[in-house]
Amino acid sequence: DGSDVDNEEGSAAENEENVKGTGKGTKRATPRTRRGHARGRDRHGDEEDEDDEDGTRRAGHRRHRSRRRGRGAGKEASDSDMEPSKSRKNQANQKSKEDDEEEEDEKGGKNGKGKNEKKADKKPDKKGKKEKANKKKKDKKKSGSGSDSDSEEEPITEEELAKLKEEVEEKKKLIATLRNKPWKMKKKLSVLKEAQLFVDKFEGALGKGKGKKFYAYKVMMMKKWMKFQRDFENFKTACIPWEMKIKEIESHFGSSVASYFIFLRWMYGINMILFGLTFGLVMVPEALMGKPYGSLPRKTVPRAEEATAMNFATLWDFSGFAQYSVLFYGYYNNQRTIGWLKFRMPLSYFLVGVGTIGYSFMIVIRTMAKNANDDGGGDDTSFNFSWKMFTSWDYLIGNPETADNKFASITTSFKEAIVEEQESRKEENIHLTRFLRVLANFLALCTLAGSGYLIFFVVRRSQKFALEGLENYGWWERNEVNMVMSLLGMFCPTLFDVISSLENYHPRIALRWQLGRIFALFLGNLYTFIIALMDEINLKARYLFPFTMFDIYLGNLEEEKIVKYNMTIWEASLYNGTIPENSTAPPIQVDPADVPRGPCWETMVGQEFVRLTVSDTMTTYITILIGDFLRAVFVRFFNYCWCWDLEYGFPSYSEFDISGNVLGLIFNQGMIWMGSFYAPCLPAINVFRLHTSMYLQCWAVMCCNVPQERVFKASRSNNFYMAMLLFILFLSTLPAVYTIVSIPPSFDCGPFSGKTRMFEVISETLEHDFPSWFGKVFGYASNPGLILPFILLMVLSIYYLNATSKSYKEANLELKKKLQSVRTEN
Amino acid sequence: MGNKQTIFTQEQLDAYQDCTFFTRKEILRLFYRFRDLAPQLVPLDYTNKPAVTLPYELIGSMPELKDNPFRQRIAEVFSEHGDGNMTLDDFLDMFSVLSEMAPRDLKAYYAFKIYDFNNDDYICKSDLEKTVNKLTRNELTPEEISLVCEKVIYEADVDNDGKLSLEDFQHMIVRAPDFL
């Protein structure tokens, strides 16, 4: 477009020359001369010319363009008769009265939008255009000296500038919130265009004179930045994994089932971060910079096991080569720094262990707080019917079967609410419901007590068997404890389900009771098991993760003493075997595989956890395949040749078991948290497990399950899952913390071997790597005299915050009551 | 991604992105959904802003709306002349308001219009009755329906005129946890 201006100028110059030179027809010559004059005047103001061309965009332009065409020739002729310099001002005066808007236009800065106008300029005939250009230039001259839109020749005053700025800001805000306005699209589009034109025009104007170029540059950068932000948002939404899958599940099964998958995805995110930490800061440095396999006894497969070390069965059991690798605690060397980077391995191991726990706590609590905010006002029954009417339809449903279920559930919900409303005046039914609920809870307690007693009984029996020698008994007696616990875990939840039908709660509340009861079942079983075992440490049970550690550890203590004794004997035998000439024995080269090995309880514990996780995964997958898939196949294909209708009758298709799956996920995560200190490979295994689990379960849900009978919204369940997760996190970090603080690490393996306590690595680092004053400060800070008041302060602040939050809630309630009373007054 | 599409000009796409809650990709996807309803009516080139209106029957047959008991009202509220026939602009508008990124007060405004069957800017008892019947597919008895409507008016009517105005409705709905 700039070139066009030049062309025009060039041609005008040519014309001028032509006129001067050749003296063509007057009619044509005059305008050209005029133009030539005007151009000549303005030739030094190229920049302003361009501004003129670019700055005009308003509709008013059309107006004065036509006006100009009509009036232009005569007037300009008269104008150009005067002296150029004087006439400028006069012309400006005259024109300004007619065309205030045009002056506003000309204030516009350099902008691409002006180019449209430029193109539009080409439409009228060339003469008119040039006249317009002249006029613009003249007026621009005037405005260049700083005139306002309203007044004629006054400079832009401060307040007008401020007002202009305010308007521009307003328009910008309007553009930003345009999508929130409840207008029709047409209106929004036209308002948007108008506002954008306004902003573009005046943004340049606000930066005057020398700052103009810089301001225009700033505006351009702003626009680029906004475009970048928009592209980044586009990119971010494309990055969320599995979004389409989850949306599909939501439309078929409602938002409660989808909430499980969203929970699963969230867990996957957390595990990715834990994996990143353990992999990047523990496994990779040791693999790259630590001593290689086979250089140390702890890093080598012992001679005795070498033959079977590569077998698939051994590897599946995580022994053999898998055990003596970066996957487990025992492989790591206790050197303070490794490699040329002087990477502090033990410190890193310790900090990563503590860091994973800390990070998990932080993120769980942060998510809880976020959910609590979204929850809004909490339980509110003041709009029960209104909400049922206006919010019960789930607009995300896109499947006729689900829609049918939804209609049915809405109808039932209305009927229930009506019945409750009618019967709330009758007293008897409340008592009946209450009685039934008390009865149901009593039955649940009985079940729990029964299962606890059964476990106690079975454990005692198995101890008796062990005393008499396990060879005398068959498979059942040997595995009685395991089997009984698995069976209890399978059947008691179903029993709880049946009991809960007595209680007649809203399905969301019933789900919570169910979850709570299953939780209590598992914990209760655990504790009875421990109590039954108190006397007997030798029994290794796979269900007692924290206590597995205890008995492994205690067993180890014994073993350690024995091994240490053996090692001294062995070393002595080595020296005795090869009698050196000198009295000072040179270091004897022994293959690391042959050195007798001390017990490594941490690795054993890590292995237990890994085996548990793998078997848990296998069990889940097989249950899905058999319980859901085969059942669906059976129901579908055998329905033709069966006496009763399989699809509506007994087996029928399974519903997606939300509570079971959520609990499974939470317990699995608990195991990971407990075990990742001893087996850095656990988060990696879990990431893999969650990834495959997501695909498998999404497929299984869509293929084999049917929507539930009572579809309910999951809106308030999320914090419940988080609360359970937090509880499990707390429970699972206790054992690891206890071992770090109180139990001496194995003397022969792991990054902390040789120390009396694992946390000594911190004090060691403080001594060696930090300046001495730091150590002193830390010493003072860890003084109980300082820590206890600090803890007291935190407890007090918790109490204070709790009290203020309570008072806010009460104030909220008061205001609600007030509102209600005002309503009833009216 | 790139700017290889020829359906809209860049300015049009930017304007749509400013006026709705959608990203560029989503707008294009919505356009293709719109087109799939009637490929012979909807041109592939929207740079000249052709005025193509799809009749309500096609809109109502979309899988997202097919099972929705309020689909007719939704289409009527968002259509240009209130008859349910929608242009692409109306289509984008409708999905922008229904998307999860739209704020609650905007949704509340449109929800009010949807539930206001007779378009008199108030939700009166007959509107409520129609809503309940649509929700339960006429399974409730007339006494039950009238009980429900009475309870709703009792709960939500703040200015006590026997019907729900926009303020009543917004006041009630903004608190609802299930209002998505």
Side-chain angles (χ1 to χ4, degrees):
Chain A
D1 286 343
S3 60
D4 288 338
V5 179
D6 292 338
N7 282 343
E8 274 187 13
E9 284 191 25
S11 57
E14 270 177 36
N15 286 340
E16 186 184 39
E17 285 163 19
N18 286 342
V19 164
K20 284 180 184 158
T22 58
K24 281 180 191 161
T26 332
K27 201 181 179 197
R28 276 185 79 198
T30 335
R32 264 186 239 139
T33 328
R34 253 186 285 132
R35 248 175 281 133
H37 277 299
R39 290 267 148 107
R41 248 182 271 142
D42 288 347
R43 211 160 272 167
H44 10 273
D46 279 352
E47 192 186 83
E48 283 157 27
D49 287 348
E50 286 184 36
D51 288 345
D52 285 342
E53 308 298 335
D54 295 346
T56 51
R57 243 178 288 109
R58 285 286 203 85
H61 201 71
R62 228 169 267 267
R63 178 171 41 113
H64 82 246
R65 222 190 301 156
S66 51
R67 236 190 296 147
R68 196 192 268 143
R69 245 181 274 169
R71 232 187 310 118
K75 232 192 178 175
E76 289 200 13
S78 61
D79 285 346
S80 63
D81 288 343
M82 305 181 226
E83 257 188 60
S85 47
K86 284 185 202 160
S87 70
R88 209 191 301 166
K89 251 198 174 176
N90 291 338
Q91 281 172 1
N93 283 341
Q94 286 168 336
K95 306 293 185 215
S96 71
K97 288 168 200 157
E98 298 145 6
D99 297 307
D100 288 345
E101 277 193 350
E102 205 207 12
E103 286 149 44
E104 285 181 9
D105 289 353
E106 275 144 31
K107 284 199 195 120
K110 299 174 196 156
N111 278 305
K113 296 256 162 95
K115 291 181 189 164
N116 289 341
E117 206 61 21
K118 195 102 209 310
K119 286 186 191 128
D121 290 349
K122 294 198 170 47
K123 283 178 197 155
D125 71 356
K126 214 177 173 200
K127 180 179 174 187
K129 216 198 321 175
K130 287 194 179 153
E131 289 174 340
K132 184 181 58 171
N134 285 344
K135 188 176 193 308
K136 269 194 268 176
K137 265 179 271 172
K138 290 176 202 155
D139 286 344
K140 191 63 174 100
K141 273 272 177 283
K142 182 177 66 114
S143 68
S145 60
S147 56
D148 196 359
S149 48
D150 298 326
S151 64
E152 296 171 359
E153 289 171 15
E154 290 162 17
I156 302 180
T157 59
E158 277 300 311
E159 46 180 77
E160 273 149 356
L161 190 63
K163 196 174 72 165
L164 206 61
K165 259 196 186 148
E166 219 180 275
E167 282 179 37
V168 171
E169 285 305 308
E170 242 180 72
K171 292 282 183 193
K172 274 194 190 160
K173 211 162 48 148
L174 177 67
I175 293 179
T177 58
L178 194 58
R179 44 175 84 98
N180 290 3
K181 300 263 186 242
W183 299 331
K184 283 255 183 302
M185 182 66 94
K186 251 193 194 159
K187 181 169 176 197
K188 280 197 274 196
L189 284 172
S190 64
V191 167
L192 175 73
K193 206 167 190 181
E194 218 183 281
Q196 274 176 338
L197 291 178
F198 187 87
V199 167
D200 282 331
K201 201 176 67 166
F202 282 101
E203 270 196 310
L206 289 178
K208 292 187 304 167
K210 292 186 189 114
K212 200 180 258 180
K213 264 199 171 141
F214 174 71
Y215 200 85
Y217 172 75
K218 217 167 57 157
V219 165
M220 190 190 71
M221 287 311 289
M222 230 15 240
K223 284 202 177 140
K224 287 212 164 153
W225 173 246
M226 294 205 54
K227 179 168 189 313
F228 170 74
Q229 272 190 326
R230 201 177 263 168
D231 285 340
F232 188 63
E233 284 298 323
N234 287 358
F235 172 70
K236 266 205 305 191
T237 46
C239 267
I240 300 178
W242 304 309
E243 185 73 2
M244 291 310 293
K245 271 200 194 335
I246 295 185
K247 283 263 183 286
E248 207 185 337
I249 293 180
E250 199 168 21
S251 74
H252 276 79
F253 291 88
S255 42
S256 53
V257 171
S259 74
Y260 164 73
F261 286 97
I262 294 176
F263 187 56
L264 179 62
R265 187 173 63 185
W266 180 80
M267 287 285 233
Y268 179 75
I270 293 188
N271 277 290
M272 277 301 275
I273 305 224
L274 294 184
F275 165 67
L277 279 177
T278 51
F279 188 70
L281 291 177
V282 171
M283 287 168 78
V284 163
E286 181 68 25
L288 291 181
M289 297 191 288
K291 294 217 173 88
Y293 173 82
S295 55
L296 285 178
R298 66 179 63 173
K299 298 198 181 206
T300 329
V301 178
R303 191 67 71 186
E305 292 174 27
E306 242 177 47
T308 57
M310 269 306 264
N311 291 355
F312 180 73
T314 330
L315 286 179
W316 183 257
D317 199 32
F318 288 92
S319 326
F321 276 119
Q323 179 175 352
Y324 296 94
S325 69
V326 283
L327 298 180
F328 288 99
Y329 176 95
Y331 184 82
Y332 295 83
N333 197 10
N334 66 345
Q335 246 181 313
R336 209 174 73 83
T337 62
I338 56 175
W340 53 275
L341 272 178
K342 298 256 183 288
F343 190 80
R344 283 154 179 74
M345 193 67 228
L347 182 69
S348 153
Y349 196 98
F350 184 79
L351 287 181
V352 163
V354 170
T356 50
I357 297 174
Y359 170 76
S360 310
F361 264 113
M362 214 180 59
I363 198 132
V364 169
I365 293 191
R366 201 177 75 151
T367 315
M368 280 182 86
K370 209 160 40 136
N371 282 347
N373 274 346
D374 292 342
D375 239 0
D379 282 317
D380 206 342
T381 51
S382 50
F383 293 114
N384 199 12
F385 274 90
S386 318
W387 288 348
K388 274 207 206 311
M389 173 159 323
F390 295 117
T391 64
S392 52
W393 179 256
D394 188 355
Y395 278 73
L396 294 165
I397 291 178
N399 173 292
E401 213 176 275
T402 320
D404 285 337
N405 283 344
K406 190 68 177 164
F407 279 121
S409 97
I410 292 177
T411 315
T412 320
S413 145
F414 267 117
K415 289 200 174 165
E416 285 169 13
I418 291 171
V419 161
E420 249 182 63
E421 173 71 19
Q422 284 169 342
E423 293 190 14
S424 66
R425 294 144 205 169
K426 297 186 206 163
E427 290 281 314
E428 297 96 58
N429 280 356
I430 288 190
H431 286 318
L432 182 66
T433 328
R434 264 195 219 145
F435 171 71
L436 280 176
R437 286 180 188 167
V438 167
L439 180 66
N441 279 322
F442 176 71
L443 285 174
L445 275 173
C446 286
T447 319
L448 288 172
S451 88
Y453 178 71
L454 189 61
I455 292 184
F456 194 81
F457 176 70
V458 161
V459 167
R460 289 286 165 163
R461 238 163 63 116
S462 78
Q463 286 170 357
K464 216 169 34 151
F465 293 155
L467 281 175
E468 294 167 20
L470 281 172
E471 305 77 34
N472 306 346
Y473 294 97
W475 177 86
W476 172 259
E477 279 80 5
R478 257 185 270 215
N479 292 293
E480 199 173 26
V481 181
N482 280 2
M483 289 310 297
V484 164
M485 291 190 87
S486 319
L487 286 175
L488 276 177
M490 269 206 306
F491 285 114
C492 283
T494 332
L495 192 59
F496 287 140
D497 218 0
V498 169
I499 293 177
S500 73
S501 62
L502 266 180
E503 290 176 323
N504 215 5
Y505 279 122
H506 187 285
R508 191 185 302 135
I509 302 183
L511 178 67
R512 285 190 201 177
W513 276 101
Q514 177 83 343
L515 279 173
R517 284 182 186 137
I518 297 180
F519 199 63
L521 176 75
F522 280 135
L523 280 182
N525 287 356
L526 221 54
Y527 279 118
T528 15
F529 196 79
I530 297 156
I531 293 174
L533 274 187
M534 265 318 180
D535 328 324
E536 192 66 50
I537 321 178
N538 288 338
L539 226 60
K540 218 181 268 197
R542 292 191 171 233
Y543 286 86
L544 286 189
F545 344 125
F547 299 91
T548 314
M549 285 197 310
F550 260 139
D551 54 60
I552 293 180
Y553 166 70
L554 288 173
N556 265 358
L557 268 186
E558 306 290 321
E559 221 185 311
E560 260 187 21
K561 289 192 201 129
I562 300 175
V563 168
K564 273 191 181 146
Y565 179 67
N566 280 346
M567 274 180 91
T568 47
I569 296 183
W570 177 81
E571 268 177 24
S573 75
L574 271 186
Y575 284 114
N576 285 345
T578 67
I579 304 172
E581 265 100 49
N582 319 355
S583 51
T584 52
I588 298 183
Q589 298 289 44
V590 186
D591 190 318
D594 292 322
V595 176
R597 222 62 75 65
C600 194
W601 62 271
E602 293 96 344
T603 306
M604 285 209 272
V605 167
Q607 278 177 316
E608 282 295 313
F609 277 114
V610 174
R611 286 181 198 140
L612 206 48
T613 309
V614 169
S615 70
D616 197 35
T617 316
M618 291 290 114
T619 318
T620 316
Y621 289 177
I622 292 179
T623 318
I624 290 180
L625 283 177
I626 296 183
D628 286 350
F629 183 61
L630 282 186
R631 175 170 155 179
V633 165
F634 175 75
V635 168
R636 168 65 67 86
F637 292 116
F638 279 79
N639 206 13
Y640 300 118
C641 47
W642 207 265
C643 346
W644 69 86
D645 190 351
L646 283 175
E647 285 185 1
Y648 287 104
F650 162 55
S652 76
Y653 299 105
S654 51
E655 286 181 359
F656 186 75
D657 177 19
I658 303 181
S659 57
N661 277 301
V662 166
L663 273 181
L665 202 58
I666 293 181
F667 279 131
N668 168 55
Q669 191 61 35
M671 288 200 289
I672 302 296
W673 277 321
M674 247 195 265
S676 71
F677 189 73
Y678 305 103
C681 62
L682 259 185
I685 294 180
N686 204 33
V687 162
F688 179 69
R689 171 213 157 104
L690 286 177
H691 200 93
T692 49
S693 177
M694 175 61 112
Y695 287 110
L696 182 69
Q697 284 190 306
C698 280
W699 165 77
V701 155
M702 295 300 288
C703 163
C704 327
N705 287 356
V706 285
Q708 287 164 327
E709 297 233 346
R710 296 180 81 184
V711 264
F712 61 95
K713 289 254 180 77
S715 52
R716 273 179 272 193
S717 308
N718 296 331
N719 247 8
F720 190 66
Y721 299 161
M722 289 294 147
M724 290 190 68
L725 196 63
L726 189 65
F727 186 57
I728 292 276
L729 173 60
F730 179 68
L731 279 186
S732 35
T733 55
L734 281 181
V737 170
Y738 182 74
T739 52
I740 291 177
V741 170
S742 316
I743 298 188
S746 301
F747 75 96
D748 198 22
C749 66
F752 307 115
S753 59
K755 302 194 171 48
T756 40
R757 292 281 184 275
M758 286 188 197
F759 62 82
E760 281 179 11
V761 70
I762 298 274
S763 46
E764 198 190 17
T765 316
L766 280 178
E767 266 175 51
H768 288 123
D769 296 324
F770 284 102
S772 54
W773 55 265
F774 203 86
K776 270 197 216 144
V777 168
F778 210 75
Y780 289 142
S782 56
N783 186 2
L786 199 64
I787 299 235
L788 281 179
F790 185 66
I791 293 181
L792 194 64
L793 184 70
M794 287 207 293
V795 168
L796 286 177
S797 60
I798 290 177
Y799 173 73
Y800 170 73
L801 288 171
N802 201 18
T804 38
S805 111
K806 268 203 197 121
S807 70
Y808 285 145
K809 276 196 192 144
E810 271 171 35
N812 215 6
L813 244 89
E814 288 272 333
L815 285 171
K816 270 190 210 160
K817 280 191 202 151
K818 227 181 186 177
L819 201 66
Q820 192 122 3
S821 65
V822 164
R823 254 205 282 163
T824 51
E825 260 173 46
N826 289 345
Chain B
M1 259 194 271
N3 293 330
K4 299 213 182 93
Q5 55 84 27
T6 50
I7 309 169
F8 300 106
T9 63
Q10 190 55 38
E11 288 85 20
Q12 276 178 316
L13 266 183
D14 285 338
Y16 279 137
Q17 279 191 310
D18 278 328
C19 291
T20 65
F21 292 96
F22 293 125
T23 60
R24 187 179 174 276
K25 207 157 98 162
E26 288 165 352
I27 293 175
L28 289 172
R29 204 159 88 201
L30 278 168
F31 171 77
Y32 284 119
R33 291 298 304 274
F34 187 70
R35 184 154 193 278
D36 286 340
L37 294 174
Q40 69 281 14
L41 286 179
V42 177
L44 269 174
D45 187 357
Y46 252 77
T47 49
N48 312 317
K49 302 195 190 146
V52 176
T53 311
L54 293 190
Y56 162 70
E57 291 73 29
L58 289 177
I59 310 277
S61 68
M62 282 185 76
E64 286 86 353
L65 291 176
K66 194 159 51 92
D67 298 308
N68 196 322
F70 299 108
R71 58 185 177 278
Q72 174 133 23
R73 280 301 301 160
I74 295 175
E76 283 173 13
V77 163
F78 285 101
S79 66
E80 216 170 307
H81 304 292
D83 53 1
N85 305 326
M86 299 174 79
T87 65
L88 178 66
D89 282 351
D90 302 330
F91 193 75
L92 286 174
D93 218 7
M94 170 172 78
F95 279 108
S96 170
V97 172
L98 290 176
S99 79
E100 60 192 3
M101 298 159 286
R104 284 168 84 134
D105 46 350
L106 183 65
K107 286 185 194 260
Y109 175 83
Y110 278 104
F112 181 79
K113 288 179 95 171
I114 289 173
Y115 291 126
D116 182 10
F117 282 80
N118 48 13
N119 284 325
D120 60 353
D121 290 334
Y122 286 103
I123 296 183
C124 56
K125 191 147 185 249
S126 68
D127 293 332
L128 290 174
E129 279 172 13
K130 290 207 192 82
T131 310
V132 173
N133 276 325
K134 280 214 191 289
L135 274 175
T136 59
R137 284 196 197 158
N138 301 317
E139 293 253 332
L140 296 181
T141 67
E143 302 85 39
E144 289 171 335
I145 294 178
S146 81
L147 173 70
V148 168
C149 299
E150 271 163 30
K151 281 290 295 182
V152 170
I153 294 188
Y154 170 73
E155 283 170 358
D157 192 8
V158 169
D159 48 12
N160 261 344
D161 52 0
K163 43 193 181 169
L164 301 183
S165 64
L166 179 60
E167 290 75 32
D168 298 337
F169 185 79
Q170 276 179 329
H171 172 254
M172 177 266 296
I173 210 81
V174 136
R175 255 152 262 268
D178 296 337
F179 184 62
L180 297 168

